Amino acid sequence: MNCIFTEPMRLKSMLFFLIYLVSCSLLFSQTEEQLVIGQQPVYKVSRAGGAITVDGRMDEASWANAEVRSLDYFYRGDRPVEKQQTRFRMLWDDENLYLFYQCEDTSLTARETKFDARPYLDDCAEFFCVPVPDSLYMHFGFEINITKAAYDYIVLWKYYNNRTVFIRGYNPVYQVEVTYDGTINDDSDKDKMWQMEFAIPFTAFSDFHFFSRPKAGVRWAFQAVRQDRNLVEDRFRSTSTLFPIYDIRKDVHQPSRFGLLEFTDN
C-alpha cells in the first residue's frame, strides 16, 4: 500500500516568492568555491512512456530508459566509511517527478518512527531540489527512512549569522514506497538490499515550478543523498552523495554544490 503524505494547509505563494527574493540576494555573499551556474554536472531525466505505479519496484518498461547514476562520494566523520553501492534513477511526466534508489545494504536499520523527526540517522534516502537553479541558498528537502518515517522541509542555507534555517511547516503531498531483502534492526543476520521509489508532484514545489516549468530542456538544481546506518547501536552513519560536497562536518545541505537535472522527451 502506498504511503501518502498529506498537506493540511498550503503556505501562501507570496511567502515562497519572498523566500526566493531573499535567497537570490544572498547569492553573492558566499565565500567558498561554488559550482558555476550552467557548468554543473547534468543528469538527463527521461520522460516516462506510461503510467508509473509507486510500489518500490521497477516493473515498468520506462525505468529501463532512465539514466542510472551511482552515489560515489562517501563521507563519515569518525572512521573510514563502508562503501555500499547506491544506484539512482529519475523519470518525469506531466504531473510528477519520479525517483528510484537501489541500495546494497548488509544491515537494515531504522529506529525513527515520528513524522518530521530524524530519519536521517537511519538507512534513509534524501532528495534536495529547487526549480530555480541559480537560487543557491534555498531548496526543498525530502528525507525518508526504510520504514517510511518522513521529514520534509524548506531550507534557507546560511540564512542568519551563518546558520541554516529549516522550515518544517512545509508538508507536501507525495508518495513513497519501500521494498527490502532482509530483516530490519537485527544485527545478527546479513541483509542484502533496499529500494525506495518516490512520486513527487510538481505542485509539491509550492508554485516554484511556475518559475521554471517542466518541459524538455528545462534545468533544475538537485542533490541525491543516501544515509547508511549499519549497526543499531552505532550513533554514526555513512553518507553518500551523487555530487560532491565541501565538508561533511557542515552537513549535506550545500546547494552551491548541487548538480542539475534536465528534463528530456527521450
Side-chain angles (χ1 to χ4, degrees):
M1 182 175 182
N2 287 350
C3 183
I4 302 177
F5 303 104
T6 60
E7 180 181 18
M9 59 181 299
R10 249 178 120 181
L11 299 178
K12 298 295 185 180
S13 297
M14 182 58 72
L15 171 63
F16 290 106
F17 184 65
L18 290 174
I19 292 172
Y20 169 69
L21 293 178
V22 170
S23 62
C24 287
S25 69
L26 292 170
L27 176 61
F28 300 104
S29 67
Q30 186 169 350
T31 58
E32 294 175 305
E33 179 185 359
Q34 64 188 34
L35 294 177
V36 177
I37 294 298
Q39 297 182 4
Q40 299 103 315
V42 177
Y43 178 100
K44 301 281 190 177
V45 188
S46 297
R47 177 179 274 277
I52 301 293
T53 300
V54 180
D55 56 5
R57 307 179 190 278
M58 289 191 293
D59 296 331
E60 298 86 359
S62 293
W63 284 115
N65 297 324
E67 182 177 347
V68 184
R69 292 282 189 93
S70 57
L71 276 58
D72 292 333
Y73 299 95
F74 292 87
Y75 311 89
R76 177 160 176 155
D78 63 323
R79 66 188 189 206
V81 67
E82 182 178 355
K83 297 182 178 181
Q84 300 197 101
Q85 186 181 73
T86 304
R87 294 189 177 276
F88 175 78
R89 296 168 172 84
M90 277 194 288
L91 293 170
W92 73 290
D93 60 22
D94 290 339
E95 305 296 330
N96 300 301
L97 184 64
Y98 300 96
L99 319 174
F100 204 100
Y101 294 74
Q102 283 184 300
C103 304
E104 294 180 354
D105 201 330
T106 59
S107 182
L108 302 177
T109 308
R111 305 307 292 263
E112 186 60 75
T113 60
K114 297 179 181 179
F115 175 69
D116 271 358
R118 300 191 298 173
Y120 50 82
L121 297 180
D122 297 329
D123 289 326
C124 175
E126 303 180 359
F127 182 71
F128 313 145
C129 184
V130 58
V132 187
D134 58 350
S135 181
L136 295 182
Y137 281 80
M138 174 270 174
H139 59 274
F140 297 89
F142 304 83
E143 303 182 2
I144 315 290
N145 73 5
I146 57 175
T147 55
K148 296 185 288 189
Y151 177 30
D152 35 60
Y153 46 79
I154 295 171
V155 177
L156 300 182
W157 193 57
K158 295 186 176 181
Y159 178 73
Y160 182 73
N161 286 341
N162 211 37
R163 295 183 63 182
T164 297
V165 175
F166 290 79
I167 301 176
R168 295 170 180 260
Y170 169 66
N171 297 310
V173 177
Y174 61 104
Q175 298 180 62
V176 63
E177 191 56 70
V178 180
T179 58
Y180 56 87
D181 187 349
T183 53
I184 297 177
N185 297 334
D186 183 355
D187 291 340
S188 67
D189 64 352
K190 187 173 182 178
D191 304 316
K192 293 184 178 180
M193 54 81 74
W194 56 272
Q195 300 183 138
M196 188 176 296
E197 185 174 18
F198 290 71
I200 305 176
F202 294 121
T203 55
F205 295 102
S206 300
D207 294 341
F208 267 64
H209 63 292
F210 291 131
F211 289 112
S212 186
R213 294 176 184 269
K215 63 180 180 180
V218 166
R219 292 180 171 184
W220 292 5
F222 84 105
Q223 174 72 286
V225 180
R226 174 199 177 174
Q227 304 291 357
D228 184 12
R229 182 174 178 175
N230 286 332
L231 293 173
V232 172
E233 302 305 323
D234 185 356
R235 71 184 185 90
F236 292 96
R237 76 279 188 202
S238 300
T239 301
S240 54
T241 62
L242 183 57
F243 306 112
I245 59 178
Y246 292 123
D247 186 342
I248 192 60
R249 292 172 296 181
K250 299 180 181 179
D251 79 26
V252 293
H253 295 279
Q254 299 176 24
S256 61
R257 297 292 290 173
F258 285 8
L260 297 176
L261 66 85
E262 180 177 325
F263 298 101
T264 76
D265 281 334
N266 298 332

Short mmCIF file of all heavy atoms in Angstrom, two decimals, residues 160-204:
data_model
loop_
_atom_site.label_atom_id
_atom_site.label_comp_id
_atom_site.label_asym_id
_atom_site.label_seq_id
_atom_site.Cartn_x
_atom_site.Cartn_y
_atom_site.Cartn_z
N TYR A 160 21.02 33.25 8.55
CA TYR A 160 21.29 34.31 9.54
C TYR A 160 22.48 33.91 10.39
O TYR A 160 22.51 32.81 10.95
CB TYR A 160 20.05 34.53 10.42
CG TYR A 160 20.22 35.63 11.43
CD1 TYR A 160 20.23 36.98 11.04
CD2 TYR A 160 20.38 35.34 12.79
CE1 TYR A 160 20.39 37.99 11.96
CE2 TYR A 160 20.54 36.35 13.72
CZ TYR A 160 20.55 37.68 13.30
OH TYR A 160 20.71 38.67 14.21
N ASN A 161 23.48 34.80 10.48
CA ASN A 161 24.70 34.53 11.24
C ASN A 161 25.31 33.18 10.85
O ASN A 161 25.76 32.41 11.70
CB ASN A 161 24.43 34.58 12.74
CG ASN A 161 24.24 35.99 13.25
OD1 ASN A 161 24.63 36.96 12.59
ND2 ASN A 161 23.62 36.13 14.41
N ASN A 162 25.27 32.90 9.57
CA ASN A 162 25.85 31.67 9.01
C ASN A 162 25.11 30.41 9.45
O ASN A 162 25.62 29.31 9.33
CB ASN A 162 27.34 31.54 9.37
CG ASN A 162 28.11 30.82 8.30
OD1 ASN A 162 27.86 30.97 7.11
ND2 ASN A 162 29.08 30.00 8.71
N ARG A 163 23.89 30.57 9.95
CA ARG A 163 23.09 29.43 10.39
C ARG A 163 22.01 29.12 9.37
O ARG A 163 21.42 30.00 8.77
CB ARG A 163 22.45 29.72 11.75
CG ARG A 163 23.46 29.89 12.87
CD ARG A 163 22.77 30.11 14.20
NE ARG A 163 21.97 28.94 14.58
CZ ARG A 163 21.23 28.89 15.69
NH1 ARG A 163 21.18 29.94 16.50
NH2 ARG A 163 20.53 27.81 15.97
N THR A 164 21.77 27.82 9.19
CA THR A 164 20.77 27.34 8.24
C THR A 164 19.42 27.18 8.94
O THR A 164 19.35 26.68 10.06
CB THR A 164 21.22 26.01 7.63
OG1 THR A 164 22.43 26.23 6.90
CG2 THR A 164 20.16 25.45 6.68
N VAL A 165 18.35 27.59 8.26
CA VAL A 165 17.00 27.50 8.81
C VAL A 165 16.22 26.42 8.06
O VAL A 165 16.24 26.38 6.82
CB VAL A 165 16.27 28.85 8.68
CG1 VAL A 165 14.82 28.72 9.15
CG2 VAL A 165 17.01 29.93 9.48
N PHE A 166 15.54 25.55 8.79
CA PHE A 166 14.68 24.52 8.22
C PHE A 166 13.23 24.87 8.53
O PHE A 166 12.85 24.95 9.70
CB PHE A 166 15.02 23.15 8.79
CG PHE A 166 16.34 22.61 8.35
CD1 PHE A 166 17.52 23.05 8.93
CD2 PHE A 166 16.41 21.66 7.34
CE1 PHE A 166 18.75 22.56 8.52
CE2 PHE A 166 17.63 21.15 6.92
CZ PHE A 166 18.80 21.61 7.51
N ILE A 167 12.42 25.09 7.50
CA ILE A 167 11.01 25.40 7.67
C ILE A 167 10.23 24.09 7.65
O ILE A 167 9.96 23.51 6.60
CB ILE A 167 10.52 26.35 6.58
CG1 ILE A 167 11.34 27.65 6.61
CG2 ILE A 167 9.04 26.65 6.75
CD1 ILE A 167 10.99 28.63 5.50
N ARG A 168 9.87 23.60 8.82
CA ARG A 168 9.22 22.30 8.96
C ARG A 168 7.74 22.36 8.60
O ARG A 168 7.11 21.33 8.41
CB ARG A 168 9.37 21.78 10.39
CG ARG A 168 10.81 21.48 10.78
CD ARG A 168 10.92 21.20 12.28
NE ARG A 168 12.28 20.91 12.67
CZ ARG A 168 12.75 19.68 12.87
NH1 ARG A 168 11.96 18.64 12.69
NH2 ARG A 168 14.01 19.49 13.22
N GLY A 169 7.16 23.55 8.52
CA GLY A 169 5.75 23.67 8.19
C GLY A 169 5.43 23.31 6.76
O GLY A 169 4.25 23.27 6.38
N TYR A 170 6.44 23.04 5.97
CA TYR A 170 6.24 22.57 4.59
C TYR A 170 5.90 21.09 4.64
O TYR A 170 6.74 20.25 4.96
CB TYR A 170 7.53 22.82 3.80
CG TYR A 170 7.60 22.16 2.46
CD1 TYR A 170 6.74 22.54 1.43
CD2 TYR A 170 8.55 21.18 2.19
CE1 TYR A 170 6.82 21.95 0.19
CE2 TYR A 170 8.64 20.59 0.94
CZ TYR A 170 7.77 20.97 -0.05
OH TYR A 170 7.84 20.38 -1.29
N ASN A 171 4.65 20.75 4.34
CA ASN A 171 4.19 19.37 4.41
C ASN A 171 3.52 18.99 3.09
O ASN A 171 2.30 18.97 2.99
CB ASN A 171 3.21 19.18 5.58
CG ASN A 171 3.87 19.45 6.92
OD1 ASN A 171 4.94 18.94 7.21
ND2 ASN A 171 3.25 20.30 7.73
N PRO A 172 4.31 18.69 2.07
CA PRO A 172 3.76 18.47 0.74
C PRO A 172 3.09 17.11 0.60
O PRO A 172 3.31 16.19 1.39
CB PRO A 172 4.99 18.54 -0.16
CG PRO A 172 6.09 18.02 0.73
CD PRO A 172 5.77 18.54 2.11
N VAL A 173 2.29 16.99 -0.44
CA VAL A 173 1.67 15.72 -0.80
C VAL A 173 2.58 14.98 -1.78
O VAL A 173 2.93 15.53 -2.83
CB VAL A 173 0.29 15.94 -1.45
CG1 VAL A 173 -0.32 14.61 -1.88
CG2 VAL A 173 -0.64 16.67 -0.50
N TYR A 174 3.00 13.78 -1.44
CA TYR A 174 3.78 12.95 -2.36
C TYR A 174 3.65 11.50 -1.94
O TYR A 174 3.05 11.18 -0.91
CB TYR A 174 5.25 13.38 -2.40
CG TYR A 174 6.01 13.30 -1.09
CD1 TYR A 174 6.91 12.28 -0.85
CD2 TYR A 174 5.85 14.28 -0.11
CE1 TYR A 174 7.62 12.22 0.33
CE2 TYR A 174 6.54 14.23 1.07
CZ TYR A 174 7.44 13.19 1.29
OH TYR A 174 8.13 13.13 2.47
N GLN A 175 4.19 10.60 -2.75
CA GLN A 175 4.08 9.16 -2.48
C GLN A 175 5.47 8.54 -2.40
O GLN A 175 6.39 8.97 -3.10
CB GLN A 175 3.32 8.46 -3.61
CG GLN A 175 1.88 8.93 -3.79
CD GLN A 175 1.21 8.19 -4.91
OE1 GLN A 175 1.05 6.98 -4.88
NE2 GLN A 175 0.82 8.93 -5.95
N VAL A 176 5.58 7.54 -1.56
CA VAL A 176 6.83 6.79 -1.45
C VAL A 176 6.51 5.36 -1.04
O VAL A 176 5.55 5.11 -0.31
CB VAL A 176 7.80 7.45 -0.43
CG1 VAL A 176 7.22 7.44 0.96
CG2 VAL A 176 9.17 6.79 -0.46
N GLU A 177 7.29 4.42 -1.57
CA GLU A 177 7.14 3.02 -1.20
C GLU A 177 8.52 2.37 -1.13
O GLU A 177 9.44 2.75 -1.87
CB GLU A 177 6.23 2.29 -2.19
CG GLU A 177 5.82 0.90 -1.73
CD GLU A 177 5.13 0.94 -0.37
OE1 GLU A 177 4.00 1.45 -0.28
OE2 GLU A 177 5.76 0.47 0.60
N VAL A 178 8.65 1.38 -0.24
CA VAL A 178 9.93 0.72 0.01
C VAL A 178 9.77 -0.79 -0.12
O VAL A 178 8.76 -1.36 0.31
CB VAL A 178 10.44 1.05 1.43
CG1 VAL A 178 11.78 0.37 1.70
CG2 VAL A 178 10.55 2.56 1.64
N THR A 179 10.77 -1.43 -0.71
CA THR A 179 10.91 -2.88 -0.65
C THR A 179 12.31 -3.19 -0.13
O THR A 179 13.23 -2.37 -0.31
CB THR A 179 10.70 -3.55 -2.03
OG1 THR A 179 11.64 -3.01 -2.96
CG2 THR A 179 9.29 -3.31 -2.54
N TYR A 180 12.48 -4.33 0.49
CA TYR A 180 13.81 -4.67 1.01
C TYR A 180 13.96 -6.18 1.10
O TYR A 180 12.99 -6.94 1.10
CB TYR A 180 14.05 -4.03 2.37
CG TYR A 180 13.03 -4.35 3.43
CD1 TYR A 180 13.15 -5.48 4.24
CD2 TYR A 180 11.94 -3.51 3.65
CE1 TYR A 180 12.23 -5.78 5.22
CE2 TYR A 180 10.99 -3.80 4.62
CZ TYR A 180 11.15 -4.93 5.41
OH TYR A 180 10.22 -5.22 6.38
N ASP A 181 15.22 -6.61 1.18
CA ASP A 181 15.57 -8.03 1.32
C ASP A 181 16.41 -8.16 2.57
O ASP A 181 17.61 -7.87 2.56
CB ASP A 181 16.33 -8.51 0.09
CG ASP A 181 16.58 -10.02 0.10
OD1 ASP A 181 16.35 -10.65 1.15
OD2 ASP A 181 17.02 -10.55 -0.95
N GLY A 182 15.80 -8.57 3.66
CA GLY A 182 16.50 -8.70 4.93
C GLY A 182 15.54 -8.45 6.07
O GLY A 182 14.33 -8.39 5.90
N THR A 183 16.11 -8.28 7.27
CA THR A 183 15.32 -8.00 8.46
C THR A 183 15.79 -6.68 9.05
O THR A 183 17.00 -6.44 9.16
CB THR A 183 15.46 -9.13 9.50
OG1 THR A 183 16.87 -9.36 9.75
CG2 THR A 183 14.85 -10.41 8.99
N ILE A 184 14.85 -5.85 9.44
CA ILE A 184 15.18 -4.52 9.95
C ILE A 184 15.49 -4.59 11.44
O ILE A 184 14.81 -5.26 12.21
CB ILE A 184 14.01 -3.55 9.69
CG1 ILE A 184 13.79 -3.39 8.18
CG2 ILE A 184 14.27 -2.19 10.34
CD1 ILE A 184 12.61 -2.50 7.82
N ASN A 185 16.59 -3.90 11.83
CA ASN A 185 17.01 -3.77 13.22
C ASN A 185 17.39 -5.11 13.85
O ASN A 185 17.10 -5.38 15.02
CB ASN A 185 15.93 -3.08 14.08
CG ASN A 185 15.66 -1.67 13.63
OD1 ASN A 185 16.53 -1.00 13.05
ND2 ASN A 185 14.45 -1.19 13.89
N ASP A 186 18.04 -5.95 13.08
CA ASP A 186 18.55 -7.23 13.58
C ASP A 186 19.99 -7.37 13.12
O ASP A 186 20.26 -7.70 11.95
CB ASP A 186 17.70 -8.38 13.07
CG ASP A 186 18.12 -9.73 13.62
OD1 ASP A 186 19.15 -9.78 14.34
OD2 ASP A 186 17.45 -10.73 13.32
N ASP A 187 20.93 -7.13 14.02
CA ASP A 187 22.36 -7.20 13.67
C ASP A 187 22.89 -8.63 13.60
O ASP A 187 24.06 -8.84 13.27
CB ASP A 187 23.19 -6.41 14.70
CG ASP A 187 22.95 -4.91 14.60
OD1 ASP A 187 22.48 -4.46 13.54
OD2 ASP A 187 23.25 -4.20 15.59
N SER A 188 22.06 -9.60 13.90
CA SER A 188 22.54 -10.98 13.96
C SER A 188 22.61 -11.65 12.60
O SER A 188 23.20 -12.72 12.46
CB SER A 188 21.66 -11.81 14.90
OG SER A 188 20.35 -11.97 14.36
N ASP A 189 21.97 -11.04 11.59
CA ASP A 189 21.99 -11.65 10.26
C ASP A 189 22.57 -10.67 9.26
O ASP A 189 22.87 -9.53 9.58
CB ASP A 189 20.58 -12.09 9.84
CG ASP A 189 19.63 -10.91 9.69
OD1 ASP A 189 20.01 -9.77 10.05
OD2 ASP A 189 18.51 -11.11 9.20
N LYS A 190 22.75 -11.14 8.04
CA LYS A 190 23.30 -10.31 6.98
C LYS A 190 22.22 -10.05 5.94
O LYS A 190 21.69 -10.97 5.33
CB LYS A 190 24.50 -11.00 6.32
CG LYS A 190 25.24 -10.11 5.32
CD LYS A 190 26.52 -10.78 4.84
CE LYS A 190 27.27 -9.86 3.88
NZ LYS A 190 28.54 -10.47 3.43
N ASP A 191 21.88 -8.79 5.76
CA ASP A 191 20.84 -8.40 4.82
C ASP A 191 21.45 -8.15 3.44
O ASP A 191 22.67 -8.23 3.25
CB ASP A 191 20.13 -7.15 5.33
CG ASP A 191 19.56 -7.35 6.73
OD1 ASP A 191 18.98 -8.43 6.97
OD2 ASP A 191 19.73 -6.45 7.57
N LYS A 192 20.59 -7.83 2.47
CA LYS A 192 21.07 -7.68 1.09
C LYS A 192 20.85 -6.28 0.50
O LYS A 192 21.76 -5.70 -0.06
CB LYS A 192 20.41 -8.72 0.18
CG LYS A 192 20.83 -10.14 0.50
CD LYS A 192 20.21 -11.13 -0.50
CE LYS A 192 20.67 -12.55 -0.20
NZ LYS A 192 20.07 -13.52 -1.16
N MET A 193 19.63 -5.75 0.63
CA MET A 193 19.36 -4.50 -0.08
C MET A 193 18.04 -3.89 0.34
O MET A 193 17.24 -4.52 1.02
CB MET A 193 19.33 -4.75 -1.59
CG MET A 193 18.36 -5.83 -2.06
SD MET A 193 16.62 -5.36 -2.22
CE MET A 193 16.72 -4.38 -3.70
N TRP A 194 17.85 -2.61 -0.08
CA TRP A 194 16.54 -1.97 -0.01
C TRP A 194 16.37 -1.05 -1.20
O TRP A 194 17.35 -0.61 -1.81
CB TRP A 194 16.32 -1.22 1.30
CG TRP A 194 17.34 -0.16 1.66
CD1 TRP A 194 18.49 -0.33 2.35
CD2 TRP A 194 17.23 1.26 1.39
NE1 TRP A 194 19.14 0.87 2.53
CE2 TRP A 194 18.39 1.87 1.94
CE3 TRP A 194 16.30 2.06 0.75
CZ2 TRP A 194 18.62 3.24 1.86
CZ3 TRP A 194 16.53 3.43 0.66
CH2 TRP A 194 17.67 4.00 1.22
N GLN A 195 15.10 -0.81 -1.56
CA GLN A 195 14.76 0.05 -2.68
C GLN A 195 13.68 1.03 -2.24
O GLN A 195 12.80 0.69 -1.45
CB GLN A 195 14.23 -0.76 -3.87
CG GLN A 195 15.22 -1.78 -4.40
CD GLN A 195 14.68 -2.52 -5.62
OE1 GLN A 195 15.40 -2.75 -6.58
NE2 GLN A 195 13.42 -2.90 -5.60
N MET A 196 13.76 2.26 -2.76
CA MET A 196 12.77 3.27 -2.43
C MET A 196 12.37 4.01 -3.69
O MET A 196 13.22 4.43 -4.48
CB MET A 196 13.29 4.25 -1.38
CG MET A 196 12.24 5.20 -0.85
SD MET A 196 12.85 6.30 0.48
CE MET A 196 13.22 5.10 1.76
N GLU A 197 11.07 4.18 -3.87
CA GLU A 197 10.51 4.85 -5.04
C GLU A 197 9.65 6.02 -4.60
O GLU A 197 8.84 5.89 -3.68
CB GLU A 197 9.68 3.86 -5.86
CG GLU A 197 9.14 4.42 -7.17
CD GLU A 197 8.45 3.35 -8.00
OE1 GLU A 197 8.10 2.29 -7.44
OE2 GLU A 197 8.25 3.58 -9.20
N PHE A 198 9.84 7.17 -5.24
CA PHE A 198 9.08 8.39 -4.95
C PHE A 198 8.27 8.80 -6.17
O PHE A 198 8.70 8.61 -7.31
CB PHE A 198 10.01 9.57 -4.67
CG PHE A 198 10.80 9.54 -3.41
CD1 PHE A 198 11.86 8.66 -3.24
CD2 PHE A 198 10.53 10.45 -2.40
CE1 PHE A 198 12.62 8.68 -2.09
CE2 PHE A 198 11.28 10.48 -1.25
CZ PHE A 198 12.33 9.59 -1.08
N ALA A 199 7.14 9.44 -5.93
CA ALA A 199 6.44 10.24 -6.93
C ALA A 199 6.15 11.59 -6.28
O ALA A 199 5.32 11.67 -5.36
CB ALA A 199 5.14 9.59 -7.40
N ILE A 200 6.85 12.62 -6.71
CA ILE A 200 6.70 13.96 -6.15
C ILE A 200 5.96 14.82 -7.17
O ILE A 200 6.51 15.13 -8.24
CB ILE A 200 8.05 14.60 -5.81
CG1 ILE A 200 8.86 13.69 -4.87
CG2 ILE A 200 7.85 15.97 -5.17
CD1 ILE A 200 10.25 14.21 -4.56
N PRO A 201 4.72 15.21 -6.90
CA PRO A 201 4.02 16.08 -7.85
C PRO A 201 4.72 17.42 -7.99
O PRO A 201 5.30 17.94 -7.02
CB PRO A 201 2.63 16.26 -7.21
CG PRO A 201 2.51 15.14 -6.21
CD PRO A 201 3.90 14.87 -5.73
N PHE A 202 4.69 17.98 -9.18
CA PHE A 202 5.31 19.28 -9.36
C PHE A 202 4.63 20.34 -8.50
O PHE A 202 5.26 21.32 -8.09
CB PHE A 202 5.29 19.67 -10.84
CG PHE A 202 6.15 18.78 -11.69
CD1 PHE A 202 5.61 18.05 -12.74
CD2 PHE A 202 7.50 18.66 -11.44
CE1 PHE A 202 6.40 17.23 -13.51
CE2 PHE A 202 8.31 17.84 -12.20
CZ PHE A 202 7.76 17.12 -13.25
N THR A 203 3.36 20.14 -8.18
CA THR A 203 2.67 21.08 -7.31
C THR A 203 3.22 21.06 -5.89
O THR A 203 2.99 22.00 -5.13
CB THR A 203 1.16 20.75 -7.26
OG1 THR A 203 0.98 19.38 -6.89
CG2 THR A 203 0.51 21.00 -8.61
N ALA A 204 3.97 20.01 -5.52
CA ALA A 204 4.57 19.95 -4.19
C ALA A 204 5.65 21.01 -4.01
O ALA A 204 6.05 21.29 -2.87
CB ALA A 204 5.16 18.56 -3.95
#
